Amino acid sequence: MHIVFGQASAANLKAAFELDPNLDGEMMCFDDDLSVGPLFILDTPDGRRARKEWWTTMQAAGPAAAGTQVALDVEQEPAAETVATVVEDVDPVRALKARLREEEELTIWIWAGQNAADVCGYYWLISQLDRFSGRIHLIYLNNLPFLNEKNAVFYPTHLHQILPKEFLKAKKLAREVSLAEFELDGDEWRRLMNENAGVRLLEGGKKIRGEAAGFYDKDLLQPLTQEFQKANKVIGQVTGKFKYPVMDQYLNWRLKEMVREGKIEARGELKTMKDYEVKLPGGNAPEGEVAE
């Protein structure tokens, strides 16, 4: 069974199955991006409920980003429903562990790219699978060269950047997760939960650094002037400068939070990033056009 984090990562890997029957297997996809938002006691119903409520707030910031699902749902395509209808208080790993208990020959391959979402997802998953040591394998594509469509060497950060034929080489990197890794990486997940940062960044290897929820606020403020600009234009200018992608939805939420905190001004409805404009405080906005 192959496990990936995010639907975008699944497509090219599935295409690789057709090129190599030995690689073929069942696909399981966990979609929640654990590099952002609350993680405190996420291994409990209360923790999952708190994260659901945060995602509900995020949903109010605009449509969910492609490949982003809310509650670590298993084998589920992104849905158009609101978060409140998509998310249930379930433990999505329970079914996986049941399969592993029932099917003693079943082995797991966890695929992770060099990005915070995949690494956090790996920590979350591995902390719950220690009793199945010897059957859990990791393929971590950390700072490894691949060939792109023009046959040029590049260093992908996400699985969806890798051509299907290139996965045939990547499979050779599969290795068993060691007993020491189960212990150390399980401890790292518990650290991440207790730290409960707003944003988690990959510093290299599998090292994750936590930052406040407003970590990207300074970047969002940089392109602002005394003139109103569409929020989606501001977000577009910012995302192009990041080494690792950040969800537009998350940045939209941060813009709206800064409006509520009085750090910036807005006019229009604070809904999707196409519905309102933002600017630095000061100047005269037409009466009645400043969003509440």
Side-chain angles (χ1 to χ4, degrees), residues 44-113:
T44 69
D46 285 345
R48 291 191 291 274
R49 192 154 37 245
R51 186 161 177 85
K52 167 188 169 180
E53 291 170 357
W54 179 79
W55 270 110
T56 301
T57 301
M58 284 282 291
Q59 183 74 2
T68 301
Q69 200 71 347
V70 178
L72 302 164
D73 297 323
V74 180
E75 290 281 21
Q76 184 171 335
E77 295 292 335
E81 298 96 328
T82 62
V83 172
T85 61
V86 173
V87 182
E88 297 178 359
D89 181 21
V90 295
D91 179 358
V93 185
R94 187 177 301 168
L96 175 60
K97 292 193 287 189
R99 287 279 304 276
L100 285 165
R101 286 192 296 269
E102 295 167 3
E103 303 171 32
E104 295 183 358
E105 299 301 316
L106 180 64
T107 57
I108 302 297
W109 283 21
I110 302 173
W111 294 76

Side-chain angles (χ1 to χ4, degrees), residues 148-219:
N148 62 19
E149 294 177 346
K150 297 181 179 180
N151 226 32
V153 174
F154 80 114
Y155 292 82
T157 58
H158 291 71
L159 297 182
H160 67 78
Q161 299 170 330
I162 301 173
L163 296 175
K165 66 178 183 179
E166 291 290 284
F167 280 106
L168 307 187
K169 296 186 296 184
K171 73 174 186 179
K172 300 176 183 178
L173 301 172
R175 61 173 181 78
E176 281 187 18
V177 177
S178 68
L179 290 173
E181 284 177 303
F182 274 111
E183 181 177 355
L184 293 173
D185 293 347
D187 287 344
E188 180 65 7
W189 172 248
R190 285 179 281 276
R191 181 190 72 80
L192 293 175
M193 282 199 298
N194 289 329
E195 181 184 55
N196 200 31
V199 173
R200 283 158 284 276
L201 308 172
L202 183 66
E203 292 194 310
K206 291 190 296 183
K207 185 177 181 181
I208 296 291
R209 182 181 91 244
E211 294 287 353
F215 178 75
Y216 298 110
D217 290 3
K218 62 183 183 302
D219 299 289

Side-chain angles (χ1 to χ4, degrees), residues 114-263:
Q114 191 183 10
N115 62 83
D118 283 11
V119 173
C120 289
Y122 160 77
Y123 282 137
W124 165 78
L125 187 58
I126 209 68
S127 70
Q128 304 173 74
L129 298 178
D130 56 312
R131 64 172 294 181
F132 303 106
S133 61
R135 299 165 62 188
I136 312 300
H137 299 72
L138 172 65
I139 303 176
Y140 182 34
L141 308 180
N142 177 29
N143 200 31
L144 295 174
F146 288 85
L147 296 178
N148 62 19
E149 294 177 346
K150 297 181 179 180
N151 226 32
V153 174
F154 80 114
Y155 292 82
T157 58
H158 291 71
L159 297 182
H160 67 78
Q161 299 170 330
I162 301 173
L163 296 175
K165 66 178 183 179
E166 291 290 284
F167 280 106
L168 307 187
K169 296 186 296 184
K171 73 174 186 179
K172 300 176 183 178
L173 301 172
R175 61 173 181 78
E176 281 187 18
V177 177
S178 68
L179 290 173
E181 284 177 303
F182 274 111
E183 181 177 355
L184 293 173
D185 293 347
D187 287 344
E188 180 65 7
W189 172 248
R190 285 179 281 276
R191 181 190 72 80
L192 293 175
M193 282 199 298
N194 289 329
E195 181 184 55
N196 200 31
V199 173
R200 283 158 284 276
L201 308 172
L202 183 66
E203 292 194 310
K206 291 190 296 183
K207 185 177 181 181
I208 296 291
R209 182 181 91 244
E211 294 287 353
F215 178 75
Y216 298 110
D217 290 3
K218 62 183 183 302
D219 299 289
L220 290 168
L221 287 169
Q222 191 172 9
L224 295 186
T225 67
Q226 294 289 336
E227 301 294 327
F228 279 112
Q229 302 178 64
K230 280 285 190 181
N232 61 332
K233 179 182 176 182
V234 173
I235 290 172
Q237 292 179 66
V238 169
T239 54
K241 299 177 181 179
F242 293 148
K243 179 180 179 181
Y244 298 109
V246 180
M247 287 186 299
D248 287 352
Q249 186 185 14
Y250 185 85
L251 298 176
N252 186 32
W253 174 63
R254 288 311 310 165
L255 274 180
K256 292 163 65 172
E257 288 296 296
M258 285 194 285
V259 171
R260 295 188 179 102
E261 294 167 4
K263 295 179 180 178

Side-chain angles (χ1 to χ4, degrees), residues 7-29:
Q7 294 290 342
S9 296
N12 282 6
L13 181 55
K14 285 182 179 179
F17 295 169
E18 300 176 5
L19 303 176
D20 184 355
N22 293 323
L23 189 61
D24 193 8
E26 187 176 346
M27 179 77 72
M28 181 175 285
C29 182

